[in-house]
Amino acid sequence: MSGPDSCPRSRGVRRGATLTLVFVSVLATAAVTGSLPQAEGRRAPLHVLPASAAEPRDRGTDVARAAAEAVADGKSVTQAAAEAVSRSGDRWGAVYDQSAYEQFEDALDGRYTGVGLWARRTADGRVEVTRLQPGGPAARAGIRAGDRLRTIDGRALDTLPVTEVVALLRGDGATPGSKVVLGLDRAGRTWTESLRRAELTTETVTVSALPGGDVMIKVAAFTKGSGERVRKAVRSVPGGAGVLLDLRGNTGGLVTEAASAASAFLDGGLVATYDVHGRQRALYADRAGDTARPLVVLVDSGTMSAAELLTGALQDRGRAVTVGSRTFGKGSVQMPTALPDGSVAELTVGHYRTPAGHGVDGKGITPDVPVTDRAQERAQAVLSGLGGRS
């Protein structure tokens, strides 16, 4: 689970956590609005919470009351709302100040301000760089995948929640050109790099050739346009070649983009069902997708949210063989609500299910072929067995 200027997300996320969706986790939690789920729901208009009235729905009532009381008392609306969300027990509820929410919106559009590195926390608790954006500030400075990230602006990272690591990398409302100093370690050699953040664009869909003529399509996150890029990539695959769809570390993104990606492999039909305050809704694939080409989907514990929705659709519909380890288990629906001070609260309002009716939240998806070591090699072998060329 990683993304630009990010580490994998963890439970208890609040400020800036979802920025892991793209990047970070570029950021990432699924949220669906009250109509068609557009962003992990952030493209439809926000529900606006009056400063003087309580939101009459579920956990929203407590958040509304806290915001209204904060306004009346001259206190921080954002802080009061965050405390109410924390008390509510909503695992995925979060409150973002206006700047953080705007950054997340940019990330969903494939833009972010940062230094262009992806990172993860290793089993021994260290923060390790996993890859870099070509041409980004970190890559230009000579930072490499495998380097250990020790400090950011002098602050040690070993005991910090990963969401704070993300916040430090991106900076609180930082603009392109702002400076950040990274402390690094490479095979025992320690040094610091002073970098200038830049406005970067993310390439969330990449295509590469596999030995034997099959093709791997890697989707890092479902940002705006990702679905159409997957469809275009599938249309360009040579006849007779199989596709390995790599969703490892995909933290989610726009639910509609995941449905669009499903349309590359399905001839219409159900992709997922979901509910908003008990009202049932559904997502469908477009017709005329490629239903014959051999397809394997590669997943791991970092496959989240919208990526799980796509995985579940292809697995339940019998369109793909899934390979890897059990996915993360993020299948809840959040609705964004604008607070009186311009901040935004997101509260869980429902859950989505795969075409066969399986819930994902807290469970994840178990692959058809469970494997942890050398997963890509195993996936390529499975693809060959399905009639691919590898």
Side-chain angles (χ1 to χ4, degrees), residues 46-50 336-345:
L46 299 180
H47 172 74
V48 178
L49 175 67
T337 296
L339 300 176
D341 65 346
S343 58
V344 175

Side-chain angles (χ1 to χ4, degrees), residues 273-323:
T273 59
Y274 64 100
D275 59 278
V276 174
H277 294 300
R279 297 177 58 191
Q280 301 302 307
R281 303 165 189 268
L283 284 169
Y284 295 93
D286 295 335
R287 299 190 64 84
D290 186 333
T291 61
R293 189 181 301 279
L295 174 64
V296 169
V297 179
L298 185 56
V299 298
D300 65 5
S301 61
T303 304
M304 297 175 62
S305 194
E308 292 177 286
L309 180 152
L310 173 58
T311 302
L314 297 175
Q315 184 184 60
D316 282 4
R317 300 275 304 272
R319 179 60 186 92
V321 175
T322 53
V323 177

Side-chain angles (χ1 to χ4, degrees), residues 165-178:
V165 175
V166 172
L168 290 172
L169 277 169
R170 288 177 165 267
D172 188 2
T175 58
S178 59

Side-chain angles (χ1 to χ4, degrees), residues 29-260:
T29 75
V32 182
T33 54
S35 54
L36 185 64
Q38 283 207 347
E40 300 200 297
R42 293 169 167 85
R43 284 297 182 272
L46 299 180
H47 172 74
V48 178
L49 175 67
S52 60
E55 164 65 23
R57 287 193 298 233
D58 304 322
R59 296 183 178 96
T61 301
D62 291 338
V63 175
R65 183 179 299 110
E69 290 175 353
V71 169
D73 295 340
K75 297 179 180 178
S76 168
V77 171
T78 302
Q79 183 61 33
E83 291 173 356
V85 170
S86 179
R87 291 192 301 268
S88 74
D90 187 342
R91 180 185 182 191
W92 298 107
V95 176
Y96 305 92
D97 62 31
Q98 187 172 5
S99 175
Y101 196 78
E102 289 173 353
Q103 288 182 47
F104 183 64
E105 290 278 79
D106 285 345
L108 288 172
D109 283 334
R111 297 179 289 118
Y112 71 103
T113 297
V115 297
L117 68 79
W118 282 252
R120 67 184 181 96
R121 192 172 291 283
T122 61
D124 62 3
R126 301 184 178 208
V127 177
E128 179 184 83
V129 177
T130 57
R131 66 187 180 96
L132 299 108
Q133 180 157 333
R140 293 198 305 270
I143 297 173
R144 303 176 190 168
D147 290 345
R148 177 194 170 196
L149 190 57
R150 299 180 300 109
T151 62
I152 299 176
D153 288 335
R155 188 169 180 181
L157 306 181
D158 288 346
T159 61
L160 287 183
V162 291
T163 52
E164 287 301 315
V165 175
V166 172
L168 290 172
L169 277 169
R170 288 177 165 267
D172 188 2
T175 58
S178 59
K179 186 174 75 171
V180 59
V181 179
L182 308 184
L184 297 133
D185 179 290
R186 179 185 300 160
R189 179 176 75 88
T190 61
W191 81 102
T192 61
E193 289 286 352
S194 180
L195 305 177
R196 297 275 178 188
R197 296 182 179 93
E199 183 173 302
L200 302 169
T201 58
T202 56
E203 183 49 73
T204 57
V205 179
T206 55
V207 181
S208 57
L210 295 173
D214 292 329
V215 172
M216 182 166 70
I217 301 174
K218 168 72 174 177
V219 187
F222 287 105
T223 56
K224 186 176 180 181
S226 296
E228 178 55 34
R229 286 192 285 273
V230 170
R231 296 166 78 168
K232 181 178 180 181
V234 172
R235 290 193 294 266
S236 68
V237 174
V243 170
L244 176 57
L245 181 63
D246 187 357
L247 300 180
R248 290 175 296 177
N250 184 315
T251 49
L254 302 172
V255 172
T256 47
E257 294 296 338
S260 176

